[in-house]
Amino acid sequence: MAKVQTSAGVGVFPEKQDLRIPGPTPVPPAVLRAMSRPMINHRGPEFAELLGRVTRRLQSLMQTDRYVAILTGSGTAGMEAACANLVSPGDPVLVLEGGVFGHRWAEIARAFGAQVHRYEYPWETGADPDELARRLRATPGVRVVFATHNESSTGVLNDIEALSRACRETAPDALFVVDSVSGLGGAPLAMDAWGLDAVVSASQKCIMAPPGLAFVALSERAWRRAAESRAARYYLDLAAHRRLYEKGQTPWTPAVSVLYALDEALALLEAEGDEARLARHRLMRDMVRGGLAAAGFELMVEARFASPTVTAVRPPAGVDIEAVRRVARQELGVVFSGGQGKLSGQILRVGHMGYATPLDMIGAVAAAEMALMRLGAPISPGAGVAAAQRVWVEAGGAGR
Ligand SMILES: *Cc1c(COP(=O)(O)O)cnc(C)c1O
């Protein structure tokens, strides 16, 4: 086994940890400071101003004129809210399932009594719009189609614009509902222009705020469907949220501190600008993919489906991926995610979303390489780092 001293610093600075996972993601200092502000009356004027500003910022991020409900809960609460408001017991629905989060749509829809049809696409690719059209023709009467924008369990980015178009053309009465929890902010999404009927997201991924808030926006026809839906709901009743929003309030006490943080985080996202932010995420993706491939890892997803926010890789032959993760975390202070579902123990996932820079990706690739060396894998030190740097240089160098 190679003698590599890797533990320098770790333990000395216990708070210094590189969180390279697909959420929760690192939070900028200004966002953390915002969390320490005193409480305010959530039925008072300061709160109304805060809620209005955050809602407008979310609308801009989602590229929608529709109301965006802010729910206290994690992203799954937003997914459940979509089902609780749009699905009636017995409704036929079609779920696009290519990973753990697509599967979650199926489970939630089933819990609400939907008759669930699944289009299972391979975990290494995105869903195919033509195949979606075929499935919709073969299953008449589908009321809702559930899709995942960015499948965090595999690192696949779906072509939501094309899938939404295929859905609209083939089944014009079906609502097209999108989980963009790990996409919004890091990958392009245009709710109105793409004709999406519902978009769900959350605070703790690309938006770089702490966990605790979920967002749900509905199209006008989705609001009409919600008014007819017979599913039981109370806390997650979106109509109650919209009603109270008229008064500058939420129906129940919200996570006020997370709202402060979200306000600050969205201001930072705005200051960077959409184009620069999306380009930064693409660059981080390309650096991580180029770097890890050069270090000997196998990319799970081909380039055209590669997510700009999370990358999954398999280990070099003979290497235990869980050992790589353990060395990186315990000895280097870099936290990677493992596989979920049927990929458990087989892959490593690198989060590159939110408060992260290209230079952080050099560190992530270096950590993965150091861990391989520490485990005695035959690698040439620095190959991955050099490849990641080359990607960066070719993209114009240290542009920040
Ligand atoms: C993180 C995530 C969710 C929500 O998970 P929570 O733990 O409930 O916040 C949903 N979908 C995707 C694609 C995600 O990455």
Side-chain angles (χ1 to χ4, degrees):
M1 183 174 284
K3 288 239 174 3
V4 184
Q5 174 61 41
T6 47
S7 59
V10 176
V12 180
F13 305 123
E15 284 189 316
K16 182 160 175 38
Q17 192 183 64
D18 285 340
L19 206 52
R20 290 277 80 85
I21 65 174
T25 60
V27 171
V31 176
L32 283 178
R33 284 196 299 275
M35 301 263 295
S36 64
R37 285 182 207 149
M39 283 306 109
I40 50 174
N41 177 8
H42 67 300
R43 309 274 178 226
E46 300 94 337
F47 183 82
E49 200 179 302
L50 173 68
L51 183 66
R53 188 170 57 244
V54 170
T55 303
R56 284 190 297 277
R57 288 185 154 147
L58 285 171
Q59 288 174 312
S60 153
L61 198 62
M62 287 187 181
Q63 296 187 41
T64 184
D65 292 333
R66 307 272 80 86
Y67 161 66
V68 182
I70 300 176
L71 315 173
T72 294
S74 77
T76 305
M79 296 170 76
E80 176 149 345
C83 287
N85 287 270
L86 300 177
V87 172
S88 294
D91 275 359
V93 306
L94 178 64
V95 176
L96 310 188
E97 187 176 325
V100 167
F101 292 99
H103 184 66
R104 187 169 300 177
W105 271 137
E107 287 188 330
I108 300 172
R110 196 171 294 122
F112 281 87
Q115 188 191 317
V116 177
H117 301 273
R118 292 148 77 199
Y119 160 25
E120 290 182 81
Y121 54 95
W123 283 31
E124 292 79 18
T125 68
D128 174 13
D130 294 333
E131 183 59 25
L132 168 61
R134 269 192 292 279
R135 300 290 176 115
L136 284 169
R137 278 193 292 272
T139 325
V142 164
R143 301 270 288 162
V144 185
V145 173
F146 291 99
T148 310
H149 185 200
N150 188 78
E151 178 52 78
S152 314
S153 64
T154 60
V156 162
L157 184 75
N158 270 303
D159 185 347
I160 290 297
E161 184 178 14
L163 292 166
S164 169
R165 190 182 315 118
C167 177
R168 212 164 44 248
E169 286 169 0
T170 321
D173 294 333
L175 301 179
F176 192 78
V177 172
V178 179
D179 162 2
S180 188
V181 174
S182 63
L184 184 71
L189 181 99
M191 176 172 175
D192 295 355
W194 294 358
L196 312 180
D197 289 297
V199 172
V200 174
S201 196
S203 52
Q204 82 273 23
K205 308 265 170 109
C206 307
I207 297 176
M208 59 190 196
L213 294 173
F215 323 122
V216 185
L218 300 186
S219 69
E220 277 315 313
R221 64 184 198 142
W223 279 109
R224 288 196 292 277
R225 181 74 64 84
E228 300 161 6
S229 138
R230 289 172 285 105
R233 55 191 184 270
Y234 187 81
Y235 189 78
L236 298 176
D237 183 6
L238 294 175
H241 282 76
R242 188 160 72 159
R243 214 160 39 240
L244 267 289
Y245 182 71
E246 303 297 317
K247 296 207 268 173
Q249 297 177 14
T250 52
W252 339 114
T253 313
V256 175
S257 305
V258 188
L259 261 170
Y260 289 147
L262 178 63
D263 188 28
E264 195 66 42
L266 289 169
L268 289 172
L269 297 189
E270 275 173 22
E272 182 180 19
D274 285 341
E275 263 176 50
R277 178 165 21 80
L278 297 176
R280 174 168 56 87
H281 282 86
R282 284 194 303 272
L283 173 58
M284 293 194 294
R285 169 196 65 197
D286 294 344
M287 289 175 68
V288 167
R289 285 173 62 87
L292 292 183
F297 292 89
E298 185 196 329
L299 299 170
M300 196 178 121
V301 171
E302 64 178 293
R304 68 194 169 113
F305 296 116
S307 158
T309 66
V310 55
T311 294
V313 294
R314 296 180 193 280
V319 172
D320 171 9
I321 199 72
E322 288 301 304
V324 173
R325 291 213 303 133
R326 192 166 51 247
V327 170
R329 181 174 60 81
Q330 291 179 348
E331 303 184 15
L332 300 160
V334 178
V335 183
F336 297 120
S337 285
Q340 295 170 288
K342 67 183 182 192
L343 292 173
S344 174
Q346 292 181 38
I347 61 166
L348 171 152
R349 291 177 302 143
V350 184
H352 35 83
M353 62 178 93
Y355 185 54
T357 66
L359 191 64
D360 292 329
M361 302 306 115
I362 303 280
V365 170
E369 277 195 310
M370 292 294 282
L372 286 186
M373 276 194 279
R374 164 78 172 69
L375 294 166
I379 75 151
S380 65
V385 166
Q389 278 181 312
R390 255 192 322 275
V391 171
W392 193 0
V393 169
E394 276 157 24
R400 293 176 56 80

